Amino acid sequence: MEVVIAPAPELARLAAGAVEDLLRRRPDAVLGLATGSSPLAVYDELARRHTEQGLSFARVRAFMLDEYVGLSMDHPQRYRNVIDTEFAARVDIAPDAVQGPDGLAADLPAACAAYEQAIADAGGVDLQLLGIGTDGHIAFNEPGSSLASRTRIKTLTEQTRVDNARFFDGDVDQVPQHCLTQGLATIMSARHLVLLATGRGKAEAVHQLVEGPVSAMWPATILQHHPHVSVLVDNAAASRLQLADYYRGAYASKPAWQGL
Ligand code: GLP
């Protein structure tokens, strides 16, 4: 696990750089897309590199982490629509190349199984962008999630609904109670995980993720078992890290040839 502590704009450039390096090596790579506010600056940077530098996503396929259950097709907070607005519509990725769990399916367990199969059929995710919830959730794997979980329906915690109410006119009652989410084992199958976190509100979750005991109570701690994780945090999100000086030193002395 590599921890990089840097100002937010640099974190976005680093994450976008990792995506760009991957696409230069493998133009038909499979990307894992996250929602929430944390990856937005990365999408801005990728859109800029597409427009100004010709970075192409034409052969890329992408899978989303999660989706609310029951939001209508045209709801602006339906994650599929968020990803279209923030990323897909701004680059040259094919419209049918982005997939997400179907939160409107009549048979939700079947939709989850189909989604797992689609990821497997694509050969798995090469690079997965991640945020982290204040309670340590990744995607929508809330505390108590099985560390071996696969895509399934979950009930959101009150904390997550309150955190996400800002996207729903500040009204927690408009935030759905249920979601479909890639499981922790699904996420762990991706070959490179790039997690972004900014702000003091994420400091405890980041501390647990990097330095806490692996536990379903802090679902992100499962990432300690992954061989290639980049944790990109600003000073505020790093404020509870016990080994912050070590991480800073290691990054400062990192060989120039070594990407994320
Ligand atoms: C939601 C998403 C997660 C995201 C989390 C944090 O719950 N399902 O994927 O990591 O929010 O969001 P933010 O980045 O806005 O703090």
Side-chain angles (χ1 to χ4, degrees):
M1 185 176 277
E2 179 179 26
V3 180
V4 178
I5 304 169
E10 188 179 334
L11 303 178
R13 283 195 294 275
L14 279 172
V19 172
E20 175 163 3
D21 288 349
L22 170 66
L23 296 189
R24 302 266 180 231
R25 283 196 313 275
R26 198 182 151 190
D28 61 346
V30 179
L31 296 181
L33 303 176
T35 43
S37 46
S38 301
L40 293 180
V42 182
Y43 298 142
D44 289 345
E45 179 64 12
L46 290 173
R48 190 189 69 75
R49 291 181 192 206
H50 168 67
T51 307
E52 295 177 13
Q53 296 164 10
L55 179 64
S56 177
F57 297 80
R59 296 173 59 198
V60 165
R61 283 160 300 164
F63 290 90
M64 295 166 44
L65 280 174
D66 46 12
E67 183 59 274
Y68 291 112
V69 167
L71 289 188
S72 62
M73 291 287 276
D74 60 352
H75 195 292
Q77 287 309 320
R78 184 174 168 248
Y79 276 170
R80 179 55 212 252
N81 295 335
V82 172
I83 285 293
D84 279 348
T85 305
E86 300 293 346
F87 175 67
R90 302 166 72 192
V91 298
D92 61 344
I93 193 166
D96 60 355
V98 181
Q99 296 188 55
D102 182 2
L104 289 169
D107 184 341
L108 292 171
C112 293
Y115 194 60
E116 284 282 332
Q117 192 60 50
I119 296 172
D121 290 348
V125 170
D126 290 304
L127 187 154
Q128 176 67 60
L129 293 171
L130 290 169
I132 186 168
T134 55
D135 62 1
H137 74 246
I138 51 175
F140 270 138
N141 292 281
E142 297 284 27
S145 288
S146 163
L147 301 180
S149 50
R150 291 279 169 184
T151 304
R152 68 215 183 287
I153 188 167
K154 285 293 287 183
T155 304
L156 298 178
T157 62
E158 189 62 16
Q159 177 68 57
T160 296
R161 294 180 72 227
V162 168
D163 285 349
N164 288 2
R166 68 190 190 280
F167 297 115
F168 292 82
D169 306 322
D171 179 5
V172 70
D173 292 334
Q174 289 184 39
V175 184
Q177 286 187 313
H178 296 107
C179 62
L180 303 185
T181 180
Q182 286 192 28
L184 293 171
T186 320
I187 293 167
M188 288 290 285
S189 301
R191 287 178 274 280
H192 181 196
L193 305 176
V194 178
L195 184 144
L196 293 110
T198 55
R200 191 161 293 269
K202 300 292 175 69
E204 177 65 15
V206 167
H207 162 61
Q208 293 291 338
L209 154 66
V210 178
E211 298 171 335
V214 175
S215 162
M217 280 303 287
W218 290 93
T221 57
I222 188 66
L223 301 193
Q224 292 177 25
H225 283 288
H226 194 287
H228 192 185
V229 182
S230 307
V231 176
L232 311 182
V233 291
D234 69 357
N235 274 322
S239 59
R240 296 221 51 230
L241 288 173
Q242 291 168 5
L243 300 184
D245 289 346
Y246 170 67
Y247 309 134
R248 285 194 176 92
Y251 185 61
S253 62
K254 183 172 169 159
W257 51 263
Q258 192 182 41
L260 283 182

